[in-house]
């Protein structure tokens, strides 16, 4: 009856990454319809010292992948982080979702109180939380942050996306 | 041991709205330091047909408040939606967090399979989901969307906020 660690993570991540994929499809279609180089969008930043669109998508994927891997004590597939085009980003999402779909729920269920140590920032610092807190106050907020930022970059550039795309576009 | 409906919602919402409050404080301080009208920020939009900063903050609060009220069958306090200044927005967040803190966990726990019907879009349409799905795939993604969009508006306008502010700034 109550919420399990697997149900609080795997289906939510798969759904949201599916919505992100749908949003990327709209971005690519917009560039093609207007006949401009789609990499204008994939390289776009909302501020000069903010990560570009490509990195927002990669980190959204990695927030899900690495979060689940750390909670479950699993080996996550390594990706090269070389994506620059929409097609490559779409493939990155597909590979992430496929891996999430392969994770047995039993690897996550019952881990609520397990200590998880994870890197914070770029200076080698770490934090330790229970797996439940890590999922609820770090992994998921992080994934939502980067999906929404990717959305905002496209929205700012005139792509016809709305909140329905973000919440349910991949359904 | 497993995650309860109350623990998946109330503390997460209070933490994230606390982080949002911290981010707003940085926005206000930035405007004051640069000596420009803070309402340039509170009225800012990332696209001409996108909601301004004020509405992002109001909807983030309401996503949490209305989500919890619908799940728990509770009466949520009504706010007038007239906020235009940082101070008013900060007060809106405070009032929302205070209400969330007053909700007894027992009002939410055990509601996982309860049917929740909620409005979708602006034409009077509704959807019905289990309370668990509603929380995980609607209420929380919606709250994160508007908090991140508020953050992105400030970040785009040069406010010195980073992901640590978003994840943990209110701690």
């Amino acid at each position: 009856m109550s919420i399990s660690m697997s149900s609080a993570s795997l289906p939510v991540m798969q759904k949201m990454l599916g919505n992100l994929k749908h949003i990327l499809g709209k971005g690519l279609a917009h560039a093609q319809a207007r006949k401009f180089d789609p990499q204008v969008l994939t390289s776009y930043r909302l501020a000069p010292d903010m990560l570009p669109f490509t990195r927002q998508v990669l980190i959204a994927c990695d927030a899900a992948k690495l979060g689940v891997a750390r909670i479950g004590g699993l080996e996550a597939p390594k990706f090269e982080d070389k994506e620059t085009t929409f097609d490559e980003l779409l493939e990155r999402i597909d590979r992430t979702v496929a891996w999430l779909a392969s994770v047995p729920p039993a690897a996550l269920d019952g881990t609520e109180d397990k200590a998880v140590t994870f890197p914070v920032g770029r200076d080698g610092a770490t934090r330790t939380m229970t797996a439940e807190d890590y999922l609820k106050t770090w992994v998921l907020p992080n994934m939502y942050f980067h999906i929404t930022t990717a959305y905002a970059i496209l929205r700012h550039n005139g792509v016809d996306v709305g909140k329905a795309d973000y919440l349910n576009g991949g359904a």
Side-chain angles (χ1 to χ4, degrees), chain A:
Chain A
M1 178 101 162
S2 52
I3 305 170
S4 64
M5 287 290 287
S6 64
S7 78
S9 55
L10 301 174
V12 174
M13 292 165 169
Q14 291 174 71
K15 180 180 175 71
M16 288 306 304
L17 291 175
N19 297 346
L20 178 61
K21 194 178 163 188
H22 163 78
I23 289 164
L24 262 66
K26 281 199 162 187
L28 176 58
H30 178 86
Q32 289 169 337
R34 303 288 187 98
K35 301 191 194 325
F36 67 81
D37 182 351
Q39 287 183 235
V40 173
L41 294 179
T42 58
S43 63
Y44 197 88
R45 302 166 193 263
L46 283 179
D49 58 347
M50 195 168 169
L51 294 170
F53 183 85
T54 46
R55 295 288 301 172
Q56 304 295 339
V57 175
L58 299 196
I59 300 174
C61 290
D62 283 3
K65 181 188 76 171
L66 296 173
V68 164
R70 290 194 186 106
I71 292 168
L74 303 167
E75 186 81 29
K78 287 199 174 60
F79 301 135
E80 282 195 69
D81 293 347
K82 286 167 50 179
E83 292 86 346
T84 58
T85 67
F86 274 102
D87 282 347
E88 288 166 347
L89 292 171
L90 291 166
E91 190 191 333
R92 172 70 165 253
I93 299 172
D94 279 342
R95 292 168 72 192
T96 303
V97 170
W99 181 73
L100 292 169
S102 80
V103 171
L108 306 178
D109 290 339
T111 60
E112 284 84 348
D113 298 327
K114 170 180 159 179
V116 176
T117 297
F118 54 97
V120 179
R122 293 176 198 131
D123 60 356
T126 62
R127 280 189 67 163
T128 299
M129 291 183 186
T130 66
E132 180 175 343
D133 282 346
Y134 175 57
L135 176 64
K136 293 194 298 192
T137 69
W138 204 270
V139 174
L140 291 175
N142 205 13
M143 180 188 76
Y144 285 118
F145 180 88
H146 291 285
I147 291 175
T148 302
T149 304
Y151 170 100
I153 288 172
L154 297 184
R155 186 76 169 79
H156 178 66
N157 280 289
V159 178
D160 181 25
V161 285
K163 203 164 65 181
D165 295 303
Y166 164 84
L167 285 172
N168 208 35

